[in-house]
């Protein structure tokens, strides 16, 4: 038992005749560790990107709501009337009348009847 612990501490398993198998396994473990670290960095980078994009979407959505409310305010009849009064155009005192257009038959349509 004592010799086994000393051989591990002195790394004799790396210099023995069959150490090629041990070195292959160690290199394999190192490659796996590098892949795991790279994968974790990629994952964290994507998380930060998602967070940034989520914040940007929230900002754009609030800006959209602000612009839409401004547009609704500008489109109101009272706002339009006030702007037109500044230019000297007053609202009509006579209500508008609806005009109906009756389609007249063309000469070709009259021939077919």
């Amino acid at each position: 038992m004592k010799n086994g612990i000393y051989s591990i501490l002195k790394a004799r398993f790396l210099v023995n005749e069959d150490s090629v198998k041990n070195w292959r396994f160690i290199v394999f473990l190192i490659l796996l560790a590098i892949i795991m670290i790279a994968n974790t960095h990629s994952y964290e980078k994507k998380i930060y990107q998602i967070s940034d994009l989520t914040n940007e979407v929230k900002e754009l959505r609030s800006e959209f709501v602000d612009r839409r409310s401004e547009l609704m305010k500008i489109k109101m009849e009272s706002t339009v009337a006030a702007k037109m009064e500044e230019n000297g155009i007053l609202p009509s005192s006579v209500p508008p009348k609806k005009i109906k257009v009756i389609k007249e038959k063309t000469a070709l349509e009259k021939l077919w009847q």
Side-chain angles (χ1 to χ4, degrees):
M1 174 95 173
K2 197 174 189 181
N3 288 334
I5 294 174
Y6 283 129
S7 71
I8 290 174
L9 291 175
K10 290 184 178 184
R12 288 190 182 143
F13 64 95
L14 296 176
V15 291
N16 287 344
E17 295 86 28
D18 62 344
S19 65
V20 174
K21 290 187 276 182
N22 295 335
W23 278 107
R24 285 183 189 165
F25 185 70
I26 290 171
V27 169
F28 175 72
L29 290 178
I30 290 172
L31 287 176
L32 280 179
I34 290 171
I35 291 172
M36 286 179 56
I37 290 169
N39 190 24
T40 303
H41 283 293
S42 173
Y43 174 76
E44 288 178 356
K45 184 178 177 182
K46 288 182 182 181
I47 292 294
Y48 285 126
Q49 286 177 346
I50 289 171
S51 175
D52 291 341
L53 290 174
T54 302
N55 290 337
E56 186 178 351
V57 165
K58 287 179 183 178
E59 289 175 12
L60 290 174
R61 189 169 286 142
S62 66
E63 184 179 343
F64 167 73
V65 170
D66 290 342
R67 301 293 171 144
R68 186 173 56 185
S69 64
E70 287 178 21
L71 178 65
M72 294 300 284
K73 192 182 283 185
I74 291 171
K75 286 173 45 176
M76 289 175 59
E77 185 180 353
S78 60
T79 308
V80 173
K83 292 274 186 185
M84 297 308 284
E85 283 180 11
E86 291 175 6
N87 294 332
I89 301 173
L90 300 173
S92 176
S93 58
V94 179
K97 293 184 180 181
K98 194 172 193 180
I99 301 173
K100 284 190 175 182
V101 177
I102 299 173
K103 181 180 175 187
E104 291 186 24
K105 294 183 181 180
T106 62
L108 189 59
E109 288 176 342
K110 288 180 183 178
L111 287 174
W112 287 103
Q113 283 186 350

